[in-house]
Amino acid sequence: MVPGYAATDSKSEKRATYTVDTKAELHPTLHEPTMVRLYDDDEALLARIGYKQELRREFTQWSTLSYAISVLGVLGSQPATYGVPISVGGPSTAIWAWSIGSVMAYLIASSVAELVSAYPTAGGMYFVTKHVVPEKHVAIWAWIIGWCNLLGQAAGVASIGYTIGQMILAAASMNSGLLGDSYTYSPESWHTVLVAIVALAIVGAICSITTKKLHQTIFWFAPFNICATIGICVSLLVLTSQKQGLASHNFVWLDVRDQSGWGSTGFSFMLGFLNVAWVMTDYDGTTHMSEETHDAAIRGPQSIQLAIIVSGILGLLLNITFTYCLTPNYVEDIVGSPTGLPVAQIFLNAGGQGGGTVMLLCVILVQFMTGVSAMLANARMVYAFARDEALPLSHWWSSIKELTGTPVYAVWFVVVFCGCLNLIGIGSTQTITAIFNLCAPCLDLSYIAVIFARLIYTTGNNPQVEFVPGPFKIPYGLGRIVNVIAILWVLTISVVLFFPPARPVTATNMNYAIVVAGIVALVSIAWYWIPTYGARGKYTGPRTQPDRIDDLPAERPDPPAYEATSSTEGHDATVRRHMDEEDIEPTDGTDSSGSEEENPKPSK
């Protein structure tokens, strides 16, 4: 039982009690205050963090979970890259690379969830940087991590738009009729880009509606994703077994090959991780919606973890199903399909023109849902970054449209920026592919940078920074182990993902992602350090006020008693509080300075 506290307003002499009933394990030491004391009062928590509540909180437990699942969008995203693992590492690579990658994604996501639980803001991991590095380093750390996060998300949104274009045009090809070995309609690069830009505009229009409408819409994203995935898997297995027969078990589970030309089966297998790396990322996407989510400190992290579990299972089902539907000569028949999309050919082989089109339309619809979720996360990151004066015309991008209560200008910033990225695809498919390939490394590296900073600056006998943990923690003292594994995995897989996918390396198959990443890094760092016009001296990191609790109304209705369970702790925490103002004093008669360790003063 943590002692009660009373807050006193010197002017009105009103008093507010604040009590937390919790099991001792939730507070390992009295020297380690936790955000659990305010997590059920989102507005007060945000004020303690240093921001004013501007967005409307409409997302509930289920819409938040649905959002977390849809931002990964397995049914929409996984088919777009399924051809990579089977073309470089053989059929079994798709299954085993996904399985291993999903476990590692869970460890990364858990590390992210633990950090964002402490500071649930629209800035996500970018904002957490402020509280895990020494104050003198906050600006440069936040600048680099913020840009990595923003550009990684933008690359993801742009790639989703591009894959929607590919899928729609693949459906058009499937229904155009065959002329020899090719379809009468064969999409050109500018066709794909045009459809992608239209798709981004549609997604942007959806993202511009009110938060309540977004909550009501996104609520159904995950159920459709799950039902469509199961339906497609069952249909493919039944129809394929009737038409061409399913592949052998050895072919599906044990056939790993060196088809990349690198001369190593193991390395070819590693290249197959591109599929899971591209799909299972943007873990903090859910956190970017924190300022629109009820009880974000708990529901956001829980949803992140559950989404990885659900998406990992769904993705595994899809990989197993697709692999059983491959032909013995799949490199030519499936990977080299005239549709331009291997999974589209699998649908066509199983369901014919009509059935294949229906299945592909389900995938396209889910990819639209993924686009909505990803664009929302990217727009909220733009809003948060602009709120801290990190972008040109920041006052525009951080403004809230009165009609919708959302940062509409930030949404259309993302639409225009991602549309411009897609335009590159008209002139160079290799360059646009390189930009898309930046999505996973940029996001994952930005995550582990914050995780690494937390390990080196906030732990040990003499921590340089005091980190106040949230109510959501990795259990059983495994936090550091999970953090280290996550860091090592991301560093390893990022190096692999920058390699060309095949040898001999030519101008056509070269992976230009490392070149684009280098240019982006140089430009962002130069922009920060350049004299006079650079961001250094102007940008100071997340611009919070020490405590905005006084911004809250003097009279606030008492919320009902709230009970929440941290899935990682396994402990129930019942939180009851009535808080009106900033000054907090113990109610048991001890000195308000907090000299007694038994009555620590809440720090947020």
Side-chain angles (χ1 to χ4, degrees):
M1 173 73 178
V2 178
Y5 292 88
T8 304
D9 188 323
S10 59
K11 295 181 180 180
S12 63
E13 294 300 325
K14 295 179 181 178
R15 299 182 64 83
T17 60
Y18 176 81
T19 305
V20 179
D21 296 326
T22 182
K23 294 186 178 180
E25 290 87 348
L26 198 56
H27 301 278
T29 68
L30 291 175
H31 295 286
E32 186 180 7
T34 70
M35 297 294 288
V36 73
R37 295 170 181 164
L38 283 175
Y39 79 82
D40 72 322
D41 190 336
D42 298 290
E43 190 175 354
L45 174 54
L46 190 62
R48 284 291 191 206
I49 290 172
Y51 287 124
K52 180 182 178 181
Q53 181 73 51
E54 294 183 304
L55 304 172
R56 299 168 186 169
R57 294 186 184 269
E58 301 286 355
F59 277 71
T60 62
Q61 178 179 356
W62 295 112
S63 57
T64 302
L65 177 59
S66 182
Y67 175 89
I69 293 173
S70 64
V71 79
L72 300 176
V74 173
L75 180 59
S77 302
Q78 198 268 356
T81 54
Y82 174 73
V84 175
I86 62 173
S87 62
V88 299
S92 301
T93 295
I95 295 174
W96 294 113
W98 180 274
S99 301
I100 297 170
S102 295
V103 173
M104 294 302 173
Y106 183 80
L107 299 183
I108 302 169
S110 297
S111 300
V112 170
E114 186 177 43
L115 289 172
V116 297
S117 173
Y119 302 97
T121 72
M125 289 289 275
Y126 151 72
F127 180 83
V128 175
T129 307
K130 178 182 176 70
H131 297 277
V132 294
V133 300
E135 186 176 356
K136 62 182 178 180
H137 300 315
V138 166
I140 184 63
W141 273 75
W143 177 265
I144 294 174
I145 290 170
W147 275 107
C148 276
N149 195 286
L150 190 150
L151 293 176
Q153 287 187 337
V157 173
S159 65
I160 290 171
Y162 196 83
T163 55
I164 289 174
Q166 287 180 316
M167 292 175 184
I168 291 175
L169 296 180
S173 292
M174 287 168 52
N175 289 276
S176 66
L178 279 170
L179 182 62
D181 293 332
S182 61
Y183 290 101
T184 55
Y185 171 67
S186 180
E188 297 183 24
S189 58
W190 71 270
H191 296 170
T192 305
V193 170
L194 179 61
V195 176
I197 292 175
V198 172
L200 288 171
I202 294 172
V203 170
I206 296 173
C207 291
S208 298
I209 62 179
T210 65
T211 304
K212 185 172 184 177
K213 292 295 183 183
L214 286 170
H215 146 70
Q216 294 170 341
T217 303
I218 292 174
F219 184 90
W220 297 103
F221 281 8
F224 182 85
N225 195 335
I226 294 170
C227 293
T229 299
I230 295 173
I232 287 175
C233 287
V234 172
S235 299
L236 283 176
L237 292 173
V238 171
L239 293 172
T240 302
S241 64
Q242 294 174 350
K243 289 190 174 182
Q244 68 185 38
L246 299 176
S248 68
H249 297 313
N250 284 341
F251 176 87
V252 172
W253 297 98
L254 301 176
D255 194 345
V256 178
R257 311 173 185 176
D258 174 22
Q259 296 181 156
S260 65
W262 283 98
S264 168
T265 302
F267 189 73
S268 294
F269 178 85
M270 292 290 289
L271 289 171
F273 281 108
L274 174 64
N275 183 12
V276 65
W278 189 69
V279 178
M280 302 285 264
T281 188
D282 202 6
Y283 312 110
D284 78 332
T286 305
T287 308
H288 291 297
M289 301 300 293
S290 289
E291 294 179 34
E292 294 155 272
T293 303
H294 293 293
D295 308 311
I298 281 289
R299 288 176 177 171
Q302 285 179 337
S303 296
I304 291 171
Q305 279 196 326
L306 287 173
I308 293 294
I309 295 172
V310 172
S311 298
I313 294 172
L314 293 178
L316 184 60
L317 289 176
L318 286 169
N319 274 293
I320 293 172
T321 300
F322 292 158
T323 307
Y324 269 111
C325 294
L326 293 178
T327 61
N329 193 28
Y330 72 89
V331 175
E332 288 76 21
D333 299 340
I334 304 297
V335 177
S337 167
T339 65
L341 191 68
V343 171
Q345 189 63 47
I346 292 175
F347 291 161
L348 186 62
N349 291 347
Q353 197 173 70
T357 301
V358 170
M359 286 187 276
L360 187 55
L361 288 177
C362 288
V363 172
I364 293 170
L365 183 56
V366 170
Q367 192 70 331
F368 262 106
M369 296 175 181
T370 305
V372 170
S373 301
M375 185 175 287
L376 280 173
N378 199 187
R380 297 318 185 253
M381 179 58 201
V382 170
Y383 160 76
F385 215 27
R387 179 170 60 182
D388 298 329
E389 299 291 334
L391 294 172
L393 302 176
S394 287
H395 64 285
W396 269 49
W397 316 129
S398 62
S399 63
I400 303 298
K401 198 74 172 177
E402 185 176 353
L403 180 64
T404 63
T406 57
V408 174
Y409 291 139
V411 170
W412 288 94
F413 173 93
V414 175
V415 172
V416 173
F417 184 71
C418 293
C420 291
L421 289 180
N422 272 300
L423 287 174
I424 298 172
I426 296 177
S428 173
T429 304
Q430 290 78 22
T431 304
I432 193 65
T433 302
I435 292 174
F436 295 160
N437 286 344
L438 287 179
C439 174
C442 273
L443 288 174
D444 289 351
L445 288 171
S446 73
Y447 300 152
I448 66 164
V450 183
I451 296 168
F452 179 72
R454 193 257 174 109
L455 288 177
I456 63 172
Y457 289 127
T458 71
T459 60
N461 295 327
N462 296 299
Q464 299 183 48
V465 179
E466 180 185 3
F467 177 77
V468 182
F472 189 93
K473 295 182 182 179
I474 297 173
Y476 311 120
L478 297 176
R480 290 191 187 183
I481 297 174
V482 171
N483 294 163
V484 170
I485 294 174
I487 291 170
L488 294 176
W489 171 255
V490 170
L491 291 175
T492 301
I493 203 63
S494 295
V495 171
V496 173
L497 294 180
F498 281 131
F499 267 78
R503 291 186 66 188
V505 179
T506 65
T508 302
N509 66 13
M510 172 62 184
N511 186 348
Y512 293 96
I514 187 65
V515 178
V516 176
I519 293 173
V520 170
L522 287 174
V523 170
S524 62
I525 293 174
W527 185 3
Y528 182 83
W529 289 101
I530 191 171
T532 308
Y533 300 103
R536 188 187 182 193
K538 301 176 184 177
Y539 176 75
T540 58
R543 296 191 176 187
T544 59
Q545 295 184 13
D547 197 336
R548 300 196 63 148
I549 203 73
D550 288 331
D551 289 348
L552 300 179
E555 296 292 340
R556 304 177 68 217
D558 294 345
Y562 177 79
E563 184 166 324
T565 300
S566 170
S567 64
T568 57
E569 288 286 332
H571 303 306
D572 293 335
T574 303
V575 182
R576 302 181 186 89
R577 55 85 194 89
H578 311 289
M579 176 171 286
D580 294 323
E581 57 282 314
E582 177 179 4
D583 297 327
I584 298 178
E585 300 173 353
T587 58
D588 57 359
T590 58
D591 183 73
S592 62
S593 63
S595 58
E596 293 188 24
E597 291 184 354
E598 289 77 15
N599 294 289
K601 182 177 179 179
S603 60
K604 294 190 188 302

